[in-house]
Amino acid sequence: MNVLLIGSGGREHALAWKLKQSPLLGKLHSIPGSAAIKGLADCPDIDQDDFRKIHAYCAANKIELVVVGPEAPLAKGISDFLTGKGIKVFGPSQRGAMLEASKQFAKEFMDRNSIPTASFSVLYDASFAREKIKENRKYPVVIKADGLAAGKGVRICADEAEALAAVSDLMEKRIFGSSGSKVVMEEFLTGREASVMALVDGESFLMLPPARDHKRLLDGDAGPNTGGMGAVCPAEITPADLETVRNEILQRFVDGVKKERIPFCGVIFAGLMFTPDGPRTLEFNCRFGDPETQSVLPLIKSDLLALLKACAEGNLAGRELEISDQACVSVVLAAGGYPENPEKGKEISGLYKVPADALVFHAGTVKKGDSYYTNGGRVLSVTATGKDPEEARRKAYEAAAAINFKGMQYRKDIGK
Ligand code: AMP
Ligand code: GLY
């Protein structure tokens, strides 16, 4: 079957790499794709938000399945649009994508469906927010912009002054635009974090191995938050906790979307905190995680395309996932100045020196002649598998050490 992959980042490069291994694949296409994805797929010059052009391209190229990577086109309704034209899409409806695009929608969905999460209230305007904050007695407290804010819309506030400042920044100064027109105030949870993704066909789900993202820029979880500096899979989570995630989070999620008639064929990504009282859902994303995907896909032995097709056809039930018993570590090489002001246009050297058993997924690069240049904050996801996390780490860091570009920065403790 011919497949169109929407997106251009490291996650999509990893998806393209994995889809290419499927015996079911005819031709792979990608919009917009990237310099690296061009090595695996046809990448026409079409905007990923131009649904009409995408549909025309699907018709002209006999695309049988569209796989959507990023959240933005999902939140704009790409899945509804193409499904309405009779094209199968792996990626949820616009309402399904609201579970990521609106914290209020997600929290209220969790509440209705008894999905464990932090207690919360929705603050609809700044003066109401200030009143609620003055009544609040428990600190720290967490204040989140309702809408999408590239992972930066969450403030952990140590005291009342910080909470009031968060309200002023998000709701009055609108530092994330209309995403801050409402905020969610929630209970501060403690514990270790992990991400669990599952493939969903609307009625059934298949849980992928748990991964752990490292969101802060610097070693030891110091420095500012980023889109993710690396990931390890599997994250060490007890079998009992994993069963709770399966039964009380993923199963209730799928039951909830079914009951509420939210078309959801795609990935549910649960950002979780493993608290002393058990797992709690911090957030839902409606797509594959980045960089989690780069550390999860190399461990999946099953034919991913067969599974995504089964989701799109509504017959995931009874399918099994074959997973390698190895570990995988993916280290992000980021540009100088990331996350505030990433420098672009630096020549990347050493890619050819990377050992053959490591994988280099391109997140933000362009190619000129035979050379790649940096073109984004997160530049490369350097990935390796090993018999245990230690071996995977060693191999990933050996590969990372072969690569260089001006200003390159990366964490030395991914997967530790
Ligand atoms: P989110 O975008 O909701 O996943 O939040 C981003 C990050 O903020 C999470 O990965 C956590 O580290 C932190 N966070 C979010 N909600 C809470 C909470 N209720 N308690 C403690 N930390 C939180
Ligand atoms: N790594 C977190 C995310 O993809 O949102």
Side-chain angles (χ1 to χ4, degrees), residues 3-24:
V3 175
L4 170 62
L5 172 66
I6 305 287
S8 61
R11 162 185 54 206
E12 287 77 16
H13 191 198
L15 281 164
W17 165 82
K18 185 68 187 161
L19 292 171
K20 276 300 256 195
Q21 296 165 20
S22 171
L24 293 178

Side-chain angles (χ1 to χ4, degrees), residues 243-373:
E243 272 315 287
T244 309
V245 172
R246 183 194 299 281
N247 299 327
E248 294 183 12
I249 296 176
L250 299 174
Q251 186 64 54
R252 291 179 191 176
F253 169 83
V254 172
D255 293 344
V257 291
K258 196 175 155 191
K259 190 170 80 201
E260 300 189 13
R261 297 180 192 282
I262 299 174
F264 203 102
C265 160
V267 172
I268 184 63
F269 167 122
L272 303 167
M273 181 83 85
F274 291 83
T275 76
D277 300 320
R280 297 285 181 272
T281 309
L282 294 178
E283 65 163 346
F284 281 135
N285 294 325
C286 59
R287 46 155 181 95
F288 283 106
D290 190 341
E292 285 89 339
T293 301
Q294 292 89 310
S295 72
V296 172
L297 294 185
L299 298 180
I300 295 185
K301 289 185 179 171
S302 311
D303 179 350
L304 183 71
L305 179 53
L307 294 172
L308 303 191
K309 176 172 178 280
C311 287
E313 291 171 351
N315 58 22
L316 186 65
R319 300 254 177 180
E320 281 181 12
L321 191 69
E322 208 192 333
I323 303 165
S324 148
D325 58 8
Q326 294 210 310
C328 184
V329 166
S330 188
V331 179
V332 169
L333 308 187
Y338 180 71
E340 285 88 14
N341 288 305
E343 301 162 3
K344 294 185 180 174
K346 307 295 175 200
E347 186 170 2
I348 302 170
S349 65
L351 285 169
Y352 68 93
K353 285 192 269 174
V354 170
D357 60 351
L359 296 159
V360 180
F361 298 122
H362 289 232
T365 68
V366 285
K367 200 171 182 188
K368 288 181 212 149
D370 286 334
S371 298
Y372 281 100
Y373 292 80

Side-chain angles (χ1 to χ4, degrees), residues 81-137:
F81 183 86
L82 294 176
T83 308
K85 305 267 185 208
I87 294 171
K88 292 195 182 79
V89 180
F90 181 83
S93 61
Q94 192 167 31
R95 268 194 80 217
M98 285 273 285
L99 288 160
E100 172 165 359
S102 165
K103 300 274 186 205
Q104 177 190 5
F105 186 79
K107 294 293 285 191
E108 291 175 348
F109 175 89
M110 290 186 231
D111 215 27
R112 284 194 297 279
N113 292 287
S114 309
I115 295 171
T117 187
S119 61
F120 71 101
S121 35
V122 181
L123 311 179
Y124 294 91
D125 64 60
S127 62
F128 179 59
R130 276 191 281 268
E131 260 172 55
K132 287 296 251 187
I133 287 167
K134 296 222 159 91
E135 286 165 18
N136 179 57
R137 295 280 160 267

Side-chain angles (χ1 to χ4, degrees), residues 71-72 75 97 100-103 145-153 176 178-180 285:
E71 63 277 20
E100 172 165 359
S102 165
K103 300 274 186 205
D146 175 62
L148 295 173
K152 297 187 191 115
F176 299 114
S178 60
S179 287
N285 294 325

